[in-house]
């Protein structure tokens, strides 16, 4: 009996589980949801670069704390005092947007999905790839200047607002029409989101990279500029030569043919189909993934 009491006492002392109420569960769900949205926001904005910079600073501060480097610790303390306020000021537009997106989000739909859903994680369909290639080759043949920005993870809303909203299904005829000479929408960039043309006549930031060739015009510098600021893939058709170029990650690739262009589009298409079945009342979830 004494052995049983000792074992019981041991488990009650070291393996006791705290009592969890309904309020605790609600708090966990809310905090998890807000934390998830915060992480998604960081990944989709320039804040991700800032987070990596802060991580490096924290590592150096930790080393300074371990080795008792008083001067570095004093500088870090003074910097952290104003760091939070500086971050809020610098990222005020992004913080406003994430709050707006949170207000528009269907929270209950996110937390409790339906009976069965098919989540196609590809950014755009195969027909969109073909239509873009078809339009670009036609404009290249006719030497029609074009600047096409394809959105990936980083949302291009800021640049979209500088142009005219189109929000139309993408087709090669529409793309060619937009960039036709002497039409109201031909000047500026077209932004593609998924399978739709989101906006036209958009202004893009010009790259200040001194290594770019002097023969490159404004379209190419704008394409490099947007690829330096975001993860977008940009297609450029030269009005002078008809040559096709693309930019991605600040890199410029020139003189592409139709096959090379299609390969790059398929690469950023990120094609994968994730079929998810969720039956709340049965407590069963299955996953099936079909590779490209």
């Amino acid at each position: 009996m004494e052995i049983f009491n000792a074992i019981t006492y041991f488990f009650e002392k070291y393996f006791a589980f705290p009592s969890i109420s309904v309020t605790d569960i609600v708090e966990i769900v809310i905090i998890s949801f807000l934390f998830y949205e915060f992480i998604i926001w960081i990944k989709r904005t320039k804040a991700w670069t800032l987070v990596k910079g802060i991580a490096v600073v924290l590592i150096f501060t930790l080393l300074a704390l371990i080795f008792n480097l008083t001067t570095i610790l004093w500088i870090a303390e003074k910097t952290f005092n104003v760091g939070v306020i500086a971050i809020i000021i610098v990222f005020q537009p992004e913080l406003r947007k994430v709050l707006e997106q949170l207000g528009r989000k269907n929270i209950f739909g996110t937390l409790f999905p339906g009976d069965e859903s098919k989540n196609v994680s590809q950014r755009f369909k195969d027909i969109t790839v073909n239509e873009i290639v078809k339009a670009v080759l036609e404009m290249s043949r006719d030497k029609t200047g074009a600047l096409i920005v394809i959105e990936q993870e980083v949302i291009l809303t800021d640049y979209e607002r500088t142009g005219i909203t189109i929000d139309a299904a993408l087709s090669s005829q529409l793309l060619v029409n937009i960039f036709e000479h002497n039409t109201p929408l031909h000047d500026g960039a077209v932004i593609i989101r998924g399978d739709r043309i989101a906006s036209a006549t958009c202004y893009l930031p010009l790259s200040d990279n001194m290594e770019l060739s002097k023969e490159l015009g404004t379209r190419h510098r704008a394409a490099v500029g947007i690829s330096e600021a975001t993860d977008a893939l940009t297609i450029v058709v030269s009005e002078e030569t008809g040559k096709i170029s693309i930019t991605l990650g600040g890199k410029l690739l020139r003189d592409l043919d139709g096959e090379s262009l299609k390969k790059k589009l398929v690469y950023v298409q990120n094609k994968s189909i994730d079929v998810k079945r969720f039956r709340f009342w049965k407590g069963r979830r299955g996953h099936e993934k079909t590779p490209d």
Side-chain angles (χ1 to χ4, degrees), residues 4 11 29 33 45 127 143-144 147 151 163 165 173-174 180 193 200 230-231 234 243 262 270 283:
F4 177 78
F11 277 97
V29 171
F33 175 77
T45 63
I127 189 172
K143 293 186 178 180
T144 301
L147 183 57
E151 182 182 84
T165 301
Q173 295 91 338
L174 180 55
E180 192 65 39
R193 176 176 297 118
T230 70
D231 63 349
T234 305
K243 292 182 178 180
K262 186 173 183 178
N270 192 31

Side-chain angles (χ1 to χ4, degrees), residues 20-191:
I20 300 177
S21 63
V22 176
T23 304
D24 297 326
I25 296 175
V26 172
E27 286 183 340
I28 292 172
V29 171
I30 292 174
I31 293 173
S32 301
F33 175 77
L34 293 177
F35 185 74
Y36 171 79
E37 290 297 326
F38 178 71
I39 295 298
I40 294 298
W41 169 73
I42 286 178
K43 289 187 66 176
R44 290 184 175 179
T45 63
K46 299 176 184 177
W48 180 242
T49 305
L50 176 67
V51 169
K52 292 190 288 187
I54 292 176
V56 173
V57 173
L58 290 177
I59 291 174
F60 278 106
T61 304
L62 180 61
L63 292 175
L65 188 63
I66 294 174
F67 295 103
N68 195 25
L69 306 177
T70 55
T71 304
I72 295 179
L73 290 175
W74 181 84
I75 294 174
E77 180 183 357
K78 299 301 180 183
T79 303
F80 290 153
N81 288 338
V82 297
V84 176
I85 299 176
I87 290 174
I88 293 175
I89 294 173
V90 170
F91 287 95
Q92 183 268 336
E94 285 82 2
L95 290 171
R96 186 185 70 249
K97 289 175 195 173
V98 75
L99 290 176
E100 291 175 352
Q101 293 172 4
L102 185 61
R104 292 193 297 264
K105 184 174 287 293
N106 184 359
I107 297 177
F108 293 102
T110 303
L111 295 178
F112 305 104
D115 178 24
E116 183 173 302
S117 63
K118 184 178 181 180
N119 178 26
V120 182
S121 59
Q122 63 184 13
R123 294 190 175 94
F124 40 83
K125 299 176 182 176
D126 292 339
I127 189 172
T128 299
V129 173
N130 296 330
E131 290 294 306
I132 293 174
V133 172
K134 181 180 177 182
V136 170
L137 290 178
E138 183 175 340
M139 290 185 288
S140 174
R141 183 179 62 251
D142 298 336
K143 293 186 178 180
T144 301
L147 183 57
I148 304 171
V149 182
I150 301 174
E151 182 182 84
Q152 294 199 73
E153 292 296 327
V154 177
I155 306 301
L156 303 177
T157 307
D158 289 343
Y159 307 103
E160 182 183 346
R161 289 172 179 168
T162 64
I164 298 175
T165 301
I166 302 295
D167 191 23
L170 189 150
S171 67
S172 59
Q173 295 91 338
L174 180 55
L175 274 177
V176 172
N177 250 346
I178 289 175
F179 289 109
E180 192 65 39
H181 294 288
N182 301 322
T183 57
L185 301 179
H186 84 283
D187 193 20
V190 160
I191 293 179

Side-chain angles (χ1 to χ4, degrees), residues 204-216:
L204 304 180
L206 298 180
S207 174
D208 56 0
N209 187 350
M210 302 301 295
E211 297 181 0
L212 292 177
S213 174
K214 299 298 182 183
E215 66 182 24
L216 296 178

